[in-house]
């Protein structure tokens, strides 16, 4: 008992010291926040910022009620197109509405990426690639990549046969199911990924290849823990705390390690007279610049990072769009029927659709546009970063601010599309029945950082979608529950898993 009494003063003293320490930290943070806010003249409006916590209490309260893309829209409705958020980890600006979003995407001052502190956790993640690069590193790699991809025919009509060949493999796998229910996620992901793999790796993978399956699993896992991943980017020291979740970073690292092995294999089998793929061309250009003493940002580690970016961007968004497309065909069978009737009338039953058929398939193309708009898969741009104080739309945005452009607010803007929450392909058709472009629909972004693979993605979507509509009718399994067309939160908006039956036509 005496021992217990002896502990009381220690515990009490510890509590006093802890409370005092917390109080001092609280005062310091309060001083910093208020000093920072006073220093900014005419900042954008935003939620109330509490000392030490910033606006996190309000954000956490709301995020438990609505998903992030809707939360961003609600901020725009409450505070206007430019909204400033203070957090304990720094400040961020959320931009809503077409005009403000388009201006932010094309603004030269917003072309920088945030310093990614999570890369300090793993040596191999320090390479930026293209998506997370800025300045001369980004310019050189984007320019080089565009040149090489075009050299391999990516985005050109000549590349159609390669996509069509993969589409045939996909349809063969689907037909083997004999109309039984199946989850299309893996098949769509495998097929779309193989298109970019054929250019970057010089080969396609069989759908059940264990190496390929593992890479796709790691990719999905790395994207499914976005909240923890963002937290670790902002506060990398948290990763050193035992039992603290590491988000998708371990999977991200493993992808880089696997891709590094592929690059090393290319290096071992490299033949200067036989350029097999993107990796070979990169290795050749890197070696040439080293021999000639030309200053360059190309490097072995950056090659792995660039290949990773291609693998990610060339797999996730297009395969997810196909998943949404077929879910919507189950939800709107009349749309599926009309698409099939149009394809049959133009193409017939003896061959598959081609890109040259597109001008004669206006309703089908309008459906593809509406799928992209309605799904809003990439609901926000990859965050930008201000390296200096910026004047934007009459406001002052401080240095070191993350800029988040809410693309979802554009696809749901009633001033651009009437009844934006209704799936209506006809909105993309003019009075003459031909496809009507809506320039405000910037699903691939805008400005200098517009999606590098936009042309390839458009080709893939048209070929895969029209081939599948031509060959199969897709139906909901008889014992399936009602369809869930709400998106699953994540880095991209994906549909919840569903089963589908493919009936050969």
């Amino acid at each position: 008992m005496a021992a217990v009494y002896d502990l009381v003063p220690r515990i009490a003293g510890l509590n006093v010291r802890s409370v005092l320490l917390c109080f001092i930290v609280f005062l310091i943070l309060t001083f910093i926040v208020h000093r920072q806010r006073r220093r900014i003249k005419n900042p954008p409006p935003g939620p109330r910022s509490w000392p030490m916590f910033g606006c996190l209490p309000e954000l956490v309260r709301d995020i438990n009620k609505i998903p992030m893309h809707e939360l961003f829209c609600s901020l725009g409705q409450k505070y206007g197109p430019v909204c400033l958020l203070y957090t304990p980890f720094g400040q961020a600006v959320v931009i809503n509405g077409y005009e403000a979003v388009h201006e932010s995407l094309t603004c030269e001052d917003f072309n920088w990426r945030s310093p990614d502190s999570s890369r300090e956790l793993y040596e191999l993640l320090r390479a930026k690639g293209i998506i997370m690069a800025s300045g001369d590193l980004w310019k050189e790699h984007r320019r080089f990549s565009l040149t090489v991809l075009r050299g391999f025919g990516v985005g050109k009509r000549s590349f159609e046969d390669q996509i069509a060949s993969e589409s045939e493999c996909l349809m063969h796998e689907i037909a083997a199911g004999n109309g039984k229910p199946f989850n299309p996620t893996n098949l769509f992901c495998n097929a779309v990924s193989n298109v970019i793999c054929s250019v970057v790796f010089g080969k396609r993978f069989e759908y059940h290849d264990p190496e390929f399956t593992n890479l796709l699993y790691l990719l999905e896992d790395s994207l499914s823990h976005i909240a923890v991943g963002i937290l670790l980017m902002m506060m990398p020291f948290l990763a050193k705390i035992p039992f603290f979740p590491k988000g998708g970073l371990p999977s991200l690292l493993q992808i880089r390690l696997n891709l590094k092995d592929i690059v090393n294999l290319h290096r071992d089998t490299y033949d200067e007279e036989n350029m097999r793929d993107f990796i070979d061309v990169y290795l050749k250009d890197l070696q040439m610049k080293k021999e000639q003493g030309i200053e360059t940002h190309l490097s072995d580690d950056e090659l792995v990072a660039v290949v990773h970016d291609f693998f990610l961007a060339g797999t996730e968004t297009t395969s997810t769009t196909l998943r949404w497309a077929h879910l919507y065909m189950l939800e709107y069978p009349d749309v599926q029927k009309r698409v099939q009737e149009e394809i049959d009338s133009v193409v017939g039953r003896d061959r598959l659709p081609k890109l040259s058929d597109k001008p004669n398939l206006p309703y089908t193309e309008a459906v593809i546009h509406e799928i992209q708009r309605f799904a809003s898969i990439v609901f926000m741009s990859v965050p930008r970063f201000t390296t200096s104080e910026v004047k934007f739309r009459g406001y002052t945005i401080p240095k070191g601010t993350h800029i988040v452009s809410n693309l979802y607010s554009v696809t749901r803007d009633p001033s651009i599309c009437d009844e934006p929450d209704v799936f209506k392909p006809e909105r993309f058709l003019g009075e003459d029945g031909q496809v009507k472009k809506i320039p405000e629909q910037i699903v691939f972004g805008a400005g200098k950082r517009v999606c590098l693979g936009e042309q390839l993605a458009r080709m893939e979507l048209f070929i895969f979608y029209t081939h599948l509509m031509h060959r199969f009718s897709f139906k909901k399994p008889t014992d399936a529950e009602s369809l869930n067309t709400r998106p699953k939160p994540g880095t991209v908006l994906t549909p919840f898993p569903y089963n589908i039956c493919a009936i050969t036509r």
Side-chain angles (χ1 to χ4, degrees):
M1 183 66 70
V4 173
Y5 286 125
D6 288 341
L7 285 173
V8 172
R10 298 181 193 175
I11 296 174
L14 179 61
N15 287 338
V16 170
R17 287 194 295 271
S18 299
V19 170
L20 181 60
L21 179 60
C22 290
F23 182 69
I24 293 173
V25 171
F26 177 82
L27 290 178
I28 293 174
L29 290 173
T30 301
F31 173 76
I32 292 174
V33 169
H34 282 276
R35 183 181 179 185
Q36 184 180 35
R37 299 194 68 170
R38 287 198 305 269
R39 190 173 68 243
I40 303 172
K41 296 181 179 179
N42 195 31
R48 179 178 180 180
S49 180
W50 296 88
M52 190 164 64
F53 298 107
C55 64
L56 277 186
E58 180 174 335
L59 294 181
V60 171
R61 180 199 66 200
D62 292 340
I63 201 67
N64 288 328
K65 300 177 182 177
I66 56 177
M68 186 177 293
H69 57 283
E70 295 181 5
L71 171 61
F72 286 167
C73 288
S74 69
L75 290 173
Q77 293 168 0
K78 189 173 183 179
Y79 300 104
V82 186
C83 173
L84 180 60
L85 308 176
Y86 287 97
T87 77
F89 325 117
Q91 61 268 0
V93 164
V94 176
I95 300 177
N96 285 279
Y98 169 73
E99 291 185 1
V101 166
H102 187 271
E103 187 175 341
S104 72
L105 295 177
T106 56
C107 178
E108 288 286 341
D109 293 321
F110 294 160
N111 267 339
W112 294 84
R113 296 295 191 208
S114 169
D116 190 353
S117 56
S118 71
R119 295 169 186 269
E120 298 173 5
L121 298 173
Y122 304 110
E123 181 70 27
L124 194 56
L125 296 185
R126 291 186 180 181
K128 299 284 187 176
I130 298 176
I131 296 176
M132 295 306 300
S134 299
D136 292 337
L137 172 65
W138 167 72
K139 291 178 182 177
E140 182 175 4
H141 275 93
R142 184 179 174 90
R143 189 183 307 116
F144 174 84
S145 299
L146 279 171
T147 300
V148 176
L149 292 178
R150 286 170 181 165
F152 281 106
V154 176
K156 299 180 181 179
R157 286 292 179 93
S158 58
F159 199 68
E160 177 180 358
D161 290 343
Q162 199 155 335
I163 303 174
S165 176
E166 190 60 45
S167 177
E168 288 276 14
C169 295
L170 172 62
M171 290 188 292
H172 177 76
E173 287 287 330
I174 293 176
N178 295 318
K180 296 179 181 178
F182 70 99
N183 184 330
T185 300
N186 290 338
L187 285 179
F188 288 164
C189 194
N190 293 351
V192 171
S193 186
N194 261 334
V195 174
I196 194 64
C197 286
S198 65
V199 177
V200 178
F201 303 146
K203 61 176 289 189
R204 68 175 297 278
F205 296 87
E206 295 299 327
Y207 291 171
H208 303 292
D209 183 299
E211 177 187 7
F212 189 39
T213 302
N214 184 54
L215 268 177
L216 294 175
Y217 166 77
L218 292 171
L219 178 64
E220 181 182 0
D221 187 66
S222 68
L223 294 173
S224 63
H225 300 89
I226 186 61
V228 176
I230 291 175
L231 195 60
L232 287 171
M233 288 181 191
M234 295 177 173
M235 298 184 294
F237 64 85
L238 292 176
K240 299 178 181 179
I241 299 177
F243 308 114
F244 189 88
K246 301 302 186 292
L249 289 180
S251 292
L252 188 64
L253 174 64
Q254 190 58 53
I255 292 175
R256 289 281 179 95
L257 290 172
N258 291 355
L259 294 179
K260 186 176 182 179
D261 289 340
I262 294 176
V263 169
N264 288 336
L265 180 61
H266 272 68
R267 187 177 287 107
D268 293 339
T269 57
Y270 174 78
D271 179 2
E272 186 175 347
E273 302 301 322
N274 178 27
M275 293 292 99
R276 299 164 293 185
D277 48 41
F278 178 89
I279 295 176
D280 278 353
V281 178
Y282 192 106
L283 291 172
K284 181 178 181 178
D285 202 70
L286 176 58
Q287 182 63 28
M288 180 270 292
K289 289 180 176 178
K290 284 182 178 179
E291 291 175 352
Q292 298 182 9
I294 300 175
E295 186 175 346
T296 180
H297 291 92
L298 304 186
S299 71
D300 293 333
D301 286 343
E302 288 297 339
L303 170 56
V304 176
V306 171
V307 169
H308 182 195
D309 284 350
F310 283 149
F311 181 64
L312 165 64
T315 299
E316 182 63 23
T317 54
T318 302
S319 64
T320 300
T321 304
L322 286 175
R323 290 164 60 191
W324 278 117
H326 289 78
L327 179 62
Y328 293 148
M329 293 306 98
L330 301 185
E331 181 75 0
Y332 307 104
D334 290 343
V335 173
Q336 178 179 192
K337 182 179 179 181
R338 184 173 170 183
V339 167
Q340 291 172 328
E341 289 174 348
E342 183 180 67
I343 292 175
D344 289 347
S345 66
V346 173
V347 176
R349 301 298 304 153
D350 296 331
R351 68 172 178 88
L352 290 168
K354 299 180 179 179
L355 285 173
S356 58
D357 296 316
K358 185 185 287 190
N360 299 318
L361 298 171
Y363 183 75
T364 301
E365 188 176 358
V367 169
I368 294 175
H369 287 322
E370 180 67 351
I371 290 167
Q372 291 179 289
R373 183 201 71 84
F374 201 63
S376 296
I377 294 165
V378 181
F379 70 91
M380 68 175 183
S381 66
V382 178
R384 313 288 181 90
F385 191 74
T386 57
T387 57
S388 61
E389 188 174 274
V390 177
K391 302 293 183 181
F392 182 75
R393 298 181 69 85
Y395 297 112
T396 299
I397 298 179
K399 176 182 177 180
T401 300
H402 291 84
I403 308 297
V404 179
S405 299
N406 183 15
L407 301 178
Y408 185 85
S409 70
V410 179
T411 64
R412 291 302 191 276
D413 190 337
S415 67
I416 298 173
C417 293
D418 63 303
E419 298 182 297
D421 293 323
V422 176
F423 187 83
K424 188 165 64 173
E426 290 79 9
R427 73 176 78 250
F428 286 96
L429 294 176
E431 295 181 357
D432 59 355
Q434 295 303 304
V435 175
K436 176 181 64 176
K437 293 188 180 298
I438 302 180
E440 292 85 359
Q441 293 303 327
I442 47 177
V443 294
F444 289 98
K448 292 183 178 180
R449 282 191 177 269
V450 66
C451 177
L452 188 148
E454 177 178 354
Q455 293 305 315
L456 174 60
R458 292 191 185 279
M459 289 174 63
E460 288 178 314
L461 282 175
F462 180 82
I463 293 172
F464 280 123
Y465 178 71
T466 57
H467 282 198
L468 291 169
M469 288 294 105
H470 181 274
R471 184 69 60 85
F472 304 101
S473 288
F474 294 94
K475 299 180 179 180
K476 185 173 68 171
T478 54
D479 60 345
E481 299 178 357
S482 58
L483 297 172
N484 181 3
T485 57
R486 294 284 296 174
K488 182 171 65 172
T491 310
V492 295
L493 297 182
T494 62
F496 285 92
Y498 65 91
N499 286 336
I500 192 170
C501 295
I503 311 301
T504 301
R505 301 179 66 218

